[in-house]
Amino acid sequence: MEFGSRFLSQLQSPTLAFLLGGILIAALGSRLTIPDAIYKFIVFMLLLKVGLKGGMAIGEADIGAMLLPAFFAVVVGCLTVVIGRYTLALLPGIRVEDGIATAGLFGAVSGSTLAAGTVVLESEGISYEPWAVALYPFMDIPALVLAIVLASVYLKKKDGTGEKVAIWPIVKESLQGPALSALLLGIALGLFTNPDGVFDTFYEPLFRGLLSVLMLIMGIEAYARLNELRRVAHWFAVYAAVAPLMNGLIAFGLGYIAHVLTGFSPGGVVLLAIIAGSSSDISGPPTLRAGIPTANPSSYIGSSTSIGTPVAIAIGIPLYIGLAQLVFGV
């Protein structure tokens, strides 16, 4: 009962309320639209802020303490793709490349979900290692690269060609994506410069307001994508509802091991689970579209945006916080 009460209270937080509000007004037929340029600017600002905070923290952190959580982030990203390859991609009515692309998107990381998770943790007074946000690329890049490699190998075998798959262009494409570029730029600036003044006076005060607008946009987009999802097999909807929570719980378990072995904080465990439960909304779609051109974008983008992201934010974040309160007593 205590867990249920805390779970319901999380659904009433401002971050989640704006997401659900966007879904509601879209369902009621509202014509409210936010220009795509504003959406991209907000995401850039949020990820730059998250990166700055992470970079400043890495400069003061014990690098040895990051190794095990970073390794677990890689494991979860790759494991998600492998599970999708041998479950979703083999279900009836699912094209293998569509299944692999969807698993790759769910193995990659959503910058907006990461930003939402940090705000909710801070509002709950749950502390975490600031460098934990830098686990993003350790999960994101391996998942996207592995998905593209598996799809390329499958398609080449299907076509009867024995050409080798070039790994580096895939990695380069991921690193040059807008989301990772903004995050890595923020980490570099926070690590090698002294941005405290501009961080405290500009980025930090704007963060929550920008995030609320982003959640509203994502709610509207989630409802709009439902029509795309209806055009593909129903298995994608099942996967999109289950995968975020499954991935998050796997990461929570690995994070608990890191907590026992290295003292990884409960908040860090929750943030690792939030990252794992997200599905890429910025860097993933263009990377997969270029890397697996034969995959149907409606399958992986529709399932991620319309179901995966709302589940990750509205259910996943309260779930992991509730588990942390139960397991760690925070």
Side-chain angles (χ1 to χ4, degrees):
M1 290 179 64
E2 182 180 359
F3 173 81
S5 137
R6 288 171 174 169
F7 179 83
L8 290 175
S9 70
Q10 286 297 319
L11 296 179
Q12 298 173 343
S13 69
T15 302
L16 305 183
F18 274 86
L19 176 76
L20 298 175
I23 294 175
L24 178 62
I25 63 171
L28 293 175
S30 171
R31 297 178 182 175
L32 174 65
T33 58
I34 309 292
D36 188 58
I38 294 178
Y39 166 75
K40 292 179 179 179
F41 174 75
I42 290 174
V43 171
F44 169 77
M45 292 291 292
L46 292 176
L47 288 179
L48 188 62
K49 184 266 183 186
V50 169
L52 284 169
K53 186 174 182 179
M56 290 187 290
I58 290 173
E60 303 172 357
D62 176 12
I63 301 299
M66 294 180 58
L67 294 179
L68 190 58
F71 172 72
F72 284 154
V74 175
V75 168
V76 174
C78 293
L79 188 61
T80 300
V81 178
V82 172
I83 292 174
R85 170 65 179 89
Y86 292 102
T87 54
L88 178 64
L90 299 179
L91 290 172
I94 303 290
R95 296 165 66 237
V96 173
E97 55 265 47
D98 290 346
I100 295 175
T102 303
L105 200 66
F106 278 78
V109 179
S110 164
S112 53
T113 302
L114 169 60
T118 59
V119 170
V120 174
L121 285 175
E122 290 168 6
S123 66
E124 288 291 306
I126 301 176
S127 60
Y128 58 90
E129 293 85 352
W131 52 258
V133 299
L135 297 175
Y136 180 122
F138 290 97
M139 191 178 300
D140 190 84
I141 295 176
L144 293 174
V145 170
L146 182 58
I148 295 173
V149 169
L150 289 178
S152 299
V153 170
Y154 166 77
L155 291 173
K156 290 183 187 304
K157 286 183 178 179
K158 182 181 176 182
D159 296 338
T161 61
E163 300 177 13
K164 291 185 178 180
V165 179
I167 305 296
W168 171 243
I170 300 172
V171 177
K172 184 179 178 182
E173 182 71 23
S174 298
L175 291 174
Q176 291 176 336
L180 270 179
S181 296
L183 185 70
L184 294 175
L185 173 63
I187 291 174
L189 291 173
L191 184 59
F192 298 111
T193 67
N194 185 22
D196 301 70
V198 68
F199 180 86
D200 293 334
T201 58
F202 182 70
Y203 288 97
E204 186 67 39
L206 290 176
F207 187 70
R208 290 172 185 259
L210 290 175
L211 181 65
S212 66
V213 177
L214 179 62
M215 290 298 102
L216 183 64
I217 295 172
M218 293 186 68
I220 296 171
E221 178 72 9
Y223 186 81
R225 291 286 185 179
L226 281 175
N227 287 329
E228 289 188 12
L229 192 60
R230 293 190 187 105
R231 292 198 291 265
V232 297
H234 64 281
W235 287 116
F236 285 106
V238 175
Y239 179 84
V242 173
L245 303 181
M246 177 189 69
N247 298 340
L249 291 174
I250 291 173
F252 191 96
L254 293 175
Y256 179 79
I257 295 175
H259 169 76
V260 173
L261 295 179
T262 67
F264 192 39
S265 71
V269 174
V270 172
L271 195 58
L272 179 63
I274 291 171
I275 292 173
S278 69
S279 52
S280 180
D281 51 356
I282 304 169
S283 62
T287 302
L288 291 171
R289 191 170 293 169
I292 316 178
T294 58
N296 179 8
S298 294
S299 61
Y300 56 87
I301 297 177
S303 57
S304 169
T305 310
S306 63
I307 297 179
T309 296
V311 167
I313 296 176
I315 299 178
I317 293 176
L319 175 63
Y320 312 137
I321 291 177
L323 283 176
Q325 293 169 335
L326 188 66
V327 173
F328 302 107
V330 296

